[in-house]
Amino acid sequence: TIHAIRRKDLLAFYAQAYRPEGMEFAIVGDIQAKKAVALVEKHFGHWRVRGEPLGFEIPPARSLKKAQRKHVKMKTKIQSDVVLGAPALARTHPDFLEAEMADVILGEFGMMGRLGDNVRDRLGLAYYARSQLEAAPGPGAWMAYAGVGPQSVDKAVEAMLYEMNRLKAEPVSNAELDDAKAYITGSQPLRLESNDGIAAAL
């Protein structure tokens, strides 16, 4: 289907799907609210789109019955980049904040969390190893990834899976949980130091 798409198809989709309804602006910096509103009105106030918006639904993510592995060879690349992932929770799921905290412990806190401690520092298998929990109205992805030497791929995958399974099987200690909470609250002001960071938070 990608090869069949032409410029006229993109234009037709834009004309119908890109609309002002529900659009949001994040405007930050040294500007008064009234002036910001006036600028939006000046540049976008005339925008009208005929017809009804396209309806869409985000289909549920299908659970994998077994792990799938794919290896993509790149001739000019010396390092192997390992990515492990699975469908995660929607941002509106009642357990999302708990999952986000688990992700901080797994692969973000300090020098890349438990993944960094084990795969990078203790075993010396990776240049980096961390995790990321994506969120959207529908299920995003929960990923762990590492940059390793080609000869270390299998060992790195084994070590990463070990930490992921340990997070499922063993309760997190109170000390580790308190450290992760302090990291989240302590790093928040840093995220709000720039206009870009404030806009992203909004």
Side-chain angles (χ1 to χ4, degrees), residues 5 15 23-24 38 49 66 80 101 110 124-125 138 149 172 178 187 189:
I5 294 173
M23 183 170 52
E24 298 176 359
V49 178
K66 61 179 181 178
S80 292
M101 179 65 73
L125 295 172
V172 174
D178 288 343
S187 60

Side-chain angles (χ1 to χ4, degrees), residues 38-118:
L39 283 170
V40 171
E41 181 65 32
K42 176 183 176 182
H43 293 287
F44 294 94
H46 63 281
W47 192 10
R48 300 288 185 273
V49 178
R50 295 178 181 176
E52 293 297 317
L54 293 174
F56 72 94
E57 291 184 9
I58 300 172
R62 291 182 295 177
S63 296
L64 298 175
K65 295 180 179 179
K66 61 179 181 178
Q68 298 179 4
R69 182 165 179 164
K70 186 172 184 179
H71 183 200
V72 179
K73 292 184 178 181
M74 301 176 72
K75 291 182 180 179
T76 60
K77 200 160 172 48
I78 298 172
Q79 176 178 295
S80 292
D81 292 298
V82 176
V83 182
L84 306 178
L89 306 174
R91 183 64 183 82
T92 53
H93 194 285
D95 293 332
F96 178 79
L97 291 178
E98 284 85 346
E100 194 170 41
M101 179 65 73
D103 180 63
V104 168
I105 292 168
L106 178 64
E108 292 188 33
F109 171 62
M111 293 297 290
M112 297 172 277
R114 289 181 175 183
L115 290 174
D117 286 343
N118 187 15

Side-chain angles (χ1 to χ4, degrees), residues 175-187:
E176 192 173 20
L177 185 60
D178 288 343
D179 284 345
K181 289 179 180 179
Y183 166 76
I184 291 173
T185 55
S187 60

